[in-house]
Amino acid sequence: MKIGVLGYQGDVEEHISTINSISKPDRNVRGMRVTKRSEIDACDGLIIPGGESTTIYKLILEYGLYDYIKEKAVDGFPVMGTCAGLIILAAETGDDRVRGMGAVDVSIRRNAYGRQINSFIKEINIKGIGSFPAVFIRAPVIDSAGTADVLSYDDEKPVMVRRGNVIGMTFHPELTGKTNIHEYFLHIIEGERSTSTGDLSR
Ligand SMILES: NC(=O)CC[C@H](N)C(=O)O
């Protein structure tokens, strides 16, 4: 199985090494940096990493991938967005410099906790995963989760959401040494695969 990590800017290597660390003899998983359509097409899922959403957004446009990723995500291709990645997948960003794709129905506000100094680590509880040390770095805040399933809240604000094949979180799971969220994403991919091959037995 190959997981692409959109490789323009941000925590690309950290996601790739987290993905590679969950590979097992009976389940070969490889993370790879992707910047082009053909590279994404060779993958079973895509991660849009955290970083600077305005920069990542600009490069997605420059490489002509905006509509392509949006359509793929809406069509059922598994996509995970972390922090800046979730801003790009959101329905509403309130910021013209980053138009959300609407792949997950959330309204998000950039840098809502304040400046870099207001970054923090907090243990949160995630539905289907359990306790997780969430690293928030100049994180956005989800003001409304619309029709998305909320998998985790912090201080009554959603911090992790899912809409079918798309998951997103306002924190950085790739910086913790913990692999549960990446494994959860693999389960989504495996679910998509069994559905697309007609295996509805699970
Ligand atoms: N850690 C992050 O990805 C921060 C996101 C960043 N503050 C933005 O709005 O792009």
Side-chain angles (χ1 to χ4, degrees):
M1 194 185 298
K2 286 191 200 142
I3 315 285
V5 182
L6 197 64
Y8 300 136
Q9 191 266 336
D11 284 353
V12 181
E13 288 308 320
E14 291 83 350
H15 275 291
I16 292 175
S17 44
T18 308
I19 294 284
N20 290 342
S21 77
I22 54 182
S23 192
K24 297 187 193 127
D26 60 335
R27 186 179 64 182
N28 190 280
V29 192
R30 207 156 55 79
M32 51 189 281
R33 178 172 183 265
V34 294
T35 55
K36 297 187 209 121
R37 218 176 257 230
S38 56
E39 292 166 344
I40 298 175
D41 270 340
C43 292
D44 302 284
L46 176 70
I47 296 176
I48 307 181
E52 181 51 43
S53 58
T54 49
T55 306
I56 298 173
Y57 173 73
K58 239 176 152 164
L59 289 162
I60 289 177
L61 289 181
E62 253 175 64
Y63 278 74
L65 289 187
Y66 187 84
D67 289 328
Y68 173 75
I69 294 175
K70 176 177 170 167
E71 277 158 29
K72 257 180 118 63
V74 170
D75 273 2
F77 188 70
V79 181
M80 165 162 130
T82 61
C83 204
L86 174 61
I87 296 172
I88 289 164
L89 292 171
E92 225 14 274
T93 66
D95 187 335
D96 287 343
R97 289 168 300 170
V98 196
R99 266 189 309 118
M101 292 179 173
V104 60
D105 187 19
V106 298
S107 289
I108 204 159
R109 212 160 11 106
R110 298 183 57 220
N111 304 328
Y113 290 98
R115 301 160 68 94
Q116 194 80 12
I117 196 162
N118 300 111
S119 300
F120 55 97
I121 303 182
K122 197 164 172 185
E123 205 67 33
I124 58 168
N125 193 45
I126 304 173
K127 202 156 106 188
I129 292 180
S131 173
F132 195 87
V135 179
F136 293 91
I137 305 172
R138 282 186 80 213
V141 163
I142 297 174
D143 283 322
S144 140
T147 57
D149 290 329
V150 177
L151 300 182
S152 182
Y153 289 92
D154 175 48
D155 273 346
E156 294 173 21
K157 290 279 185 205
V159 291
M160 181 163 173
V161 290
R162 175 171 181 183
R163 187 205 44 85
N165 53 297
V166 179
I167 53 170
M169 60 232 73
T170 59
F171 54 91
H172 287 259
E174 74 288 1
L175 299 180
T176 58
K178 285 230 179 188
T179 57
N180 323 31
I181 291 183
H182 291 76
E183 297 200 37
Y184 183 91
F185 185 51
L186 284 195
H187 290 308
I188 292 180
I189 295 174
E190 283 160 355
E192 290 302 326
R193 281 184 149 190
S194 61
T195 320
S196 61
T197 53
D199 174 10
L200 299 174
S201 57
R202 47 204 336 262

